[in-house]
């Protein structure tokens, strides 16, 4: 498999391929099930506190976004006062250039990295590699993905599509070429595999001059960056190198230190299903109280736009920038559970990816992105799970209307084709997705009904479907979703292949 | 670079125009705390802390203040090389048979390779959080630079019962003071862990593989 998402097939055909991969489907179902149960237990433990906590988390992030320019200027000022160097990057290219130039100015040919969605989004590793700088991923799953020359399939457990035997194979075959080899007697016990990764990476941590990270939060008031993690590789990257570069999306701002509170309570419970993740690091520039140095003495922060201001300008879509990348919405999504992350063709998979990618890149740019808002059944489970209450179904419906609007002049309308192909897939399982058809927004009759009734999860639908979508549906009487079962469809079409590129 | 650049001005300009007409909220958001009826006693909060730390498969010992030196002395083998941070209380220091000091006034103390050759580290903490079983270090006196509690394979951490608060919101005020003073914070909830291989939990990937909390009452 190629290591880039560019040129990947749009969601429906990629989903068909993924559906055929039994191992992937099995692993994903297991993973999402386990994490879902752990999360559910902890949400229950929080009882009546959970809803107010979600509201508070949403309010903190919304408050940060609603006055983002002010908070960003404050963040810049407090970071600078703490001795950090602040860079601004309009796009991926600009951000990668900053990181590469910092690395080059120290004459290094390698950096150690802690897993970060932002650096994956800008394809930093590929960029650095082209510049002759090796970027070592240090998160165990990312290491597996990197050594396997593969793509991550899940925000939280990116290597969930690999089983232990495959991981052993990858370690034995690939570790020696890039550093300390795996022991020859390596077994496929998870403890043994983790110990091999510890030894392999420790060598890199101890000699690394430059570390690269993202940040889960950036506190405007104090200039404090926060990294939430499990394995300790983050602490290694943030502490041992002499130089640290952090690539931070501008939406990561939190106004005050105290307002981290609800987010720190929501994130681990929603993400890994733990009361608290093993390690959270907070640091404020290279500042050294009492004259003692602690950690990297040269600290750079790259504030990244790369489409975020485009998302910010969308009144309905803006809320997607509240996302704290917990992946709870992935774990509850019936579409994601069946297809896995690769089918979304982006570093942001699942329900959040279905809205975030079109919001960041804009609709009408490419077919892949335009198909994403249809990679959903609008069942509403993602909204219920989201710790910062992003109304993903609302944004999906909004984006569908934008996709459709953008393609109104096409003949035949490309988006419609895409939509119908997606629908053919998503609705094939009539038993599982029973409620869905009423809310899909893909049937003209249903769409018309929606605009004057309520959605199945009980919130009013009025006003959700702006003019252009109504016009589009008014012009065509679309077929209702098929009543055929998923298994029946699967058998009839040979796992979707027989339907071809209809 | 810090200071005005075309990229900075353009991004801030895009942000401002994207948000034209949006009313900012100036009041910080205050998140809710759990309400228990009756409110738990401090003793119960400390019990919960001990239980929740142990939940992460960390070792928890509860000792009376008078017994602390004797108890600590029993935790370290004579040959064990134990890192001791600057500012560690004399009583604690005396309990370590083979201390390795990180006391360089310039801050350029033990190197990462030096630390890799040690066996354990002994520190105090700033706050303990009961609900989540978390200890927080602000790396002040007695706690050491961040690397000290990261590279050695065993972390023995002394937490006083009066440092334990019920939940995360209660910890924000004391920790806010540390942040305002420019200190980093490390929140530790059990030993490092991964579930990246078939979701099987494995303890001790990169940090200390053993976390040993000594709770002093
Ligand atoms: S959209 Fe919500 S549930 Fe999904 S990853 Fe983001 S914060 Fe988590």
């Amino acid at each position: 498999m190629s290591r880039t998402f560019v040129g990947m097939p749009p969601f429906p055909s990629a989903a068909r391929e993924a559906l055929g991969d039994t191992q992937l489907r099995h692993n994903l179902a297991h993973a999402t099930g386990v994490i879902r149960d752990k999360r559910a237990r902890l949400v229950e433990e929080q009882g009546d506190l959970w809803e107010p906590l979600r509201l508070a988390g949403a309010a903190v992030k919304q408050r940060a976004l609603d006055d983002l320019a002010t908070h960003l200027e404050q963040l810049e000022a407090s970071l600078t006062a703490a001795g950090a160097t602040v860079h601004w990057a309009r796009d991926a290219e600009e951000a990668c250039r900053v990181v590469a130039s910092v690395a080059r100015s120290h004459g290094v040919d390698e950096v150690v990295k802690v897993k970060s969605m932002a650096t994956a989004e800008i394809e930093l590793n590929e960029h650095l590699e082209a510049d002759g700088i090796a970027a070592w991923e240090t998160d165990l799953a990312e290491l597996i993905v990197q050594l396997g020359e593969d793509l991550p399939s899940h925000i939280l457990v990116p290597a969930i599509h690999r089983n232990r035997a495959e991981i052993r194979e990858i370690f034995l075959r690939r570790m020696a070429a890039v550093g300390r080899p795996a022991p020859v007697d390596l077994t496929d016990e998870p403890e043994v595999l983790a110990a091999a990764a510890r030894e392999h990476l420790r060598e890199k941590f101890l000699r690394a001059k430059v570390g690269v990270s993202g940040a889960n939060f950036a506190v405007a008031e104090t200039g404090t960056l926060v990294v939430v993690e499990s394995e300790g590789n983050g602490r290694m990257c943030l502490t041992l190198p002499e130089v640290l570069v952090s690539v931070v999306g501008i939406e990561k701002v939190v106004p005050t230190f105290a307002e981290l509170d609800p987010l720190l309570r929501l994130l681990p419970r929603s993400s890994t299903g733990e009361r608290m993740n093993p390690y959270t690091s907070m640091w404020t520039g290279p500042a050294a109280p009492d004259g003692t140095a602690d950690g990297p003495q040269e600290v750079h922060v790259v504030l990244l736009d790369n489409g975020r201001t485009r998302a910010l300008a969308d009144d309905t879509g803006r809320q997607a920038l509240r996302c704290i990348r917990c992946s709870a919405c992935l774990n509850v999504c019936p579409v994601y559970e069946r297809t896995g992350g690769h089918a979304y063709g982006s570093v942001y998979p699942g329900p959040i990816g279905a809205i975030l990618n079109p919001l960041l890149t804009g609709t009408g740019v490419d077919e892949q992105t335009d198909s994403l808002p249809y990679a959903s059944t609008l069942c509403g489970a993602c909204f219920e799970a989201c710790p910062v209450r992003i109304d993903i179904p609302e944004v999906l419906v909004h984006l569908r209307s934008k996709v459709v609007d953008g393609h109104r002049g096409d003949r035949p309308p490309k988006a419609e084709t895409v939509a119908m192909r997606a629908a053919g897939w998503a609705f094939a399982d009539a038993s599982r997705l029973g409620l869905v058809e009423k809310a899909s927004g893909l049937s003209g009759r249903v769409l018309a009904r929606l605009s004057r009734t309520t959605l199945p999860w009980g919130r009013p639908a009025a006003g959700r479907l702006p003019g252009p979508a109504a016009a589009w549906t008014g012009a065509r009487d679309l077929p209702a979703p098929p009543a055929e079962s998923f298994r029946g469809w699967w058998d009839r079409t040979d796992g979707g292949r027989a339907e071809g590129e209809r | 670079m810090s200071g005005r650049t075309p990229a900075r001005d353009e991004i801030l300009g895009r942000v401002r125009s994207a948000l034209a007409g949006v009313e900012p909220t100036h009041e910080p958001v205050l998140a809710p705390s759990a309400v228990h009826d009756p409110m738990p006693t401090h003793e119960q909060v400390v019990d919960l802390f001990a239980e929740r730390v142990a939940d992460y498969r960390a070792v928890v010992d509860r000792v009376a203040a008078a017994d602390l030196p004797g108890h600590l002395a029993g935790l370290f083998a004579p040959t064990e090389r134990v890192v001791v941070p600057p500012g560690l209380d004399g009583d604690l220091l005396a309990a370590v048979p083979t201390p390795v000091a990180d006391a360089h006034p310039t801050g350029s103390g033990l190197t990462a390779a030096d630390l890799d050759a040690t066996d354990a580290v002994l520190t105090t903490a700033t706050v303990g959080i009961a609900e989540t079983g978390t200890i927080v270090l602000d790396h002040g006196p007695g706690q050491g630079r961040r690397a000290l509690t990261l590279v050695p394979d065993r972390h023995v951490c002394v937490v006083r019962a009066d440092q334990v608060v019920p939940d995360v919101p209660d910890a924000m005020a004391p920790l806010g003071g540390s942040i305002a003073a420019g200190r980093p914070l490390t929140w530790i909830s059990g030993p490092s862990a991964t579930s990246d291989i078939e979701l099987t939990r494995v303890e001790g990937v990169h940090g200390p593989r053993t976390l040993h909390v000594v709770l002093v009452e």
Side-chain angles (χ1 to χ4, degrees):
Chain A
M1 180 175 295
S2 137
R3 286 178 62 193
T4 166
F5 290 109
V6 174
M8 282 191 72
F11 186 84
S13 38
R16 279 202 192 98
E17 273 169 35
L19 277 166
D21 185 338
T22 316
Q23 178 74 52
L24 171 62
R25 281 203 296 157
H26 173 83
N27 291 359
L28 268 169
H30 175 63
T32 51
V34 168
I35 300 172
R36 207 162 49 216
D37 291 350
K38 286 173 73 182
R39 175 194 167 276
R41 273 200 297 279
L42 287 181
V43 167
E44 193 171 321
E45 184 179 275
Q46 290 285 289
D48 292 344
L49 192 59
W50 188 249
E51 272 312 307
L53 204 52
R54 283 177 81 209
L55 283 166
V60 167
K61 291 289 294 192
Q62 194 59 47
R63 175 170 114 78
L65 294 171
D66 284 349
D67 197 9
L68 189 58
T70 306
H71 296 309
L72 284 172
E73 282 178 321
Q74 199 190 3
L75 176 66
E76 178 188 43
S78 44
L79 277 168
T80 308
T85 305
V86 178
H87 310 257
W88 299 75
R90 283 165 284 203
D91 52 29
E93 174 70 29
E94 204 160 31
C96 289
R97 269 209 308 273
V98 172
V99 182
S101 84
V102 170
R104 265 201 311 270
S105 74
H106 291 274
V108 299
D109 56 8
E110 63 174 8
V111 300
V112 286
K113 271 193 71 204
V114 51
K115 174 177 156 188
S116 132
M117 299 302 298
T119 56
E121 170 193 325
I122 62 174
E123 297 181 340
L124 178 63
N125 295 5
E126 291 76 6
H127 188 107
L128 290 176
E129 199 179 304
D131 269 24
I133 301 163
W136 304 118
E137 288 296 350
T138 60
D139 186 272
L140 180 52
E142 296 287 334
L143 176 74
I144 296 166
V145 168
Q146 190 177 45
L147 289 175
E149 298 194 309
D150 205 349
L151 289 172
S153 54
H154 191 290
I155 294 182
L156 186 64
V157 278
I160 200 62
H161 58 292
R162 295 289 194 186
N163 63 25
R164 59 180 75 189
E166 291 176 296
I167 294 167
R168 174 177 173 272
E169 263 302 294
I170 291 170
F171 280 10
L172 281 173
R173 224 179 42 227
R174 307 273 316 166
M175 269 184 176
V178 294
R180 192 186 169 113
V184 281
D185 56 352
L186 189 73
T187 69
D188 64 3
E189 285 302 301
E191 293 77 17
V192 174
L193 293 170
R198 179 184 171 103
E199 294 306 314
H200 179 80
L201 288 170
R202 184 151 290 213
E203 177 196 64
K204 292 193 159 61
F205 289 134
L206 293 184
R207 69 163 189 242
K209 291 265 181 299
V210 178
V212 176
S213 82
N216 293 87
F217 309 107
V219 182
E221 172 195 44
T222 60
T224 305
L225 298 193
V226 182
V227 163
V228 172
E229 52 135 353
S230 292
E231 294 176 12
N233 61 312
R235 292 178 68 192
M236 292 277 179
C237 293
L238 301 172
T239 313
L240 297 186
E242 292 159 19
V243 181
L244 174 63
V245 193
S246 304
V247 180
V248 183
I250 55 173
E251 85 286 13
K252 297 292 179 195
V253 177
V254 170
T256 63
F257 176 75
E259 284 169 293
L260 287 174
D261 161 35
L263 302 169
L264 291 174
R265 282 190 277 167
L266 288 162
L267 178 54
R269 289 184 172 93
S270 304
S271 178
T272 45
E274 295 170 295
R275 295 192 186 97
M276 192 59 84
N277 50 288
Y279 296 135
T280 296
S281 296
M282 303 186 181
W283 74 101
T284 308
D290 331 327
T292 58
D294 185 345
Q297 288 304 290
E298 182 180 326
V299 170
H300 298 263
V301 178
V302 184
L303 297 175
L304 174 72
D305 181 346
N306 205 33
R308 285 157 178 77
T309 49
R310 184 200 308 275
L312 195 68
D314 185 317
D315 286 336
T316 309
R318 182 178 305 139
Q319 59 182 309
L321 296 177
R322 296 203 298 251
C323 175
I324 56 174
R325 313 277 188 264
C326 73
S327 76
C329 57
L330 278 61
N331 298 327
V332 298
C333 179
V335 177
Y336 178 80
E337 186 174 287
R338 280 139 186 272
T339 60
H342 292 157
Y344 293 81
S346 156
V347 294
Y348 301 110
I352 181 61
I355 61 173
L356 197 57
N357 295 305
L359 285 166
L360 292 176
T361 58
T363 50
V365 178
D366 65 89
E367 201 190 355
Q368 163 66 31
T369 306
D370 280 1
S371 72
L372 288 178
Y374 297 93
S376 163
T377 65
L378 299 184
C379 72
C382 47
F383 169 72
E384 296 300 330
C386 179
V388 287
R389 297 178 57 91
I390 298 169
D391 194 337
I392 295 174
E394 178 190 35
V395 182
L396 283 167
V397 171
H398 164 72
L399 288 172
R400 286 179 187 184
S401 81
K402 284 184 80 166
V403 168
V404 166
D405 195 24
H407 287 283
R408 257 192 308 173
D410 302 359
R411 215 169 270 276
K414 223 162 72 188
E416 186 185 339
T417 317
V418 169
M420 294 320 295
R421 257 192 262 150
W425 172 78
F427 287 95
D429 186 352
S431 63
R432 183 89 189 257
L433 309 175
L435 274 180
V436 158
E437 53 206 62
K438 294 199 198 79
S440 78
L442 290 169
S443 149
R445 281 166 298 185
V446 168
L447 201 57
R449 180 152 30 99
L450 263 186
S451 55
R452 50 172 198 277
T453 178
T454 54
L455 298 173
W457 53 96
R459 288 161 304 136
R464 277 162 191 273
L465 305 166
W472 182 76
T473 53
R476 292 167 180 80
D477 196 14
L478 297 177
E484 185 180 28
S485 76
F486 183 79
R487 196 173 290 275
W489 170 81
W490 188 264
D491 291 341
R492 180 174 61 73
T493 61
D494 185 25
R497 278 181 286 275
E499 285 194 346
E501 293 303 300
R502 197 169 55 185
Chain B
M1 299 304 114
S2 294
R4 298 180 70 90
T5 62
R8 175 189 189 276
D9 292 347
E10 196 177 320
I11 292 171
L12 287 173
R14 287 184 205 162
V15 169
R16 287 203 182 86
S17 68
L19 293 170
V22 176
E23 274 299 312
T25 313
H26 295 294
E27 277 304 297
V29 175
L30 197 64
S33 289
V35 183
H36 298 285
D37 188 21
M39 286 306 277
T41 62
H42 186 66
E43 223 165 75
Q44 288 170 318
V45 170
V46 174
D47 285 347
L48 180 66
F49 173 72
E51 185 189 311
R52 292 279 161 93
V53 173
D55 244 23
Y56 295 120
R57 296 185 223 174
V59 183
V60 183
D61 296 335
R62 304 179 68 161
V63 300
D67 301 335
L68 179 63
H71 182 83
L72 283 178
L75 293 183
F76 303 110
T79 53
E80 215 173 339
R81 290 164 48 83
V82 181
V83 179
V84 289
L88 191 70
D89 191 80
D91 267 8
L92 304 186
L93 194 55
V96 179
T98 315
V100 180
D102 180 59
H104 295 235
T106 57
S108 54
L110 301 167
T111 64
D114 293 339
L115 287 169
D116 200 31
T118 64
D119 302 301
V121 57
L122 172 65
T123 72
T124 56
T126 303
V127 170
I129 304 172
E131 179 71 28
T132 58
T134 303
I135 54 176
V136 188
L137 273 59
D138 78 355
H139 304 281
Q143 299 172 39
R145 295 179 295 129
R146 287 175 288 171
L148 267 51
T149 38
L150 175 62
V151 181
D153 208 11
R154 185 157 77 109
H155 179 193
V156 179
C157 186
V158 177
V159 182
R160 294 194 320 267
D162 64 21
Q163 293 179 309
V164 177
V165 298
D167 200 354
V168 173
D170 312 294
M172 296 313 276
L175 296 178
S178 302
I179 289 285
R183 294 192 187 288
L185 297 178
T186 305
W187 299 48
I188 300 172
S189 307
S192 77
T194 182
S195 299
D196 279 343
I197 301 167
E198 295 182 5
L199 286 195
T200 305
R201 189 178 165 93
V202 176
E203 260 107 39
V205 194
H206 297 297
R209 280 186 274 204
T210 309
L211 174 65
H212 195 137
V213 174
V214 180
L215 181 56
V216 187
E217 301 175 88

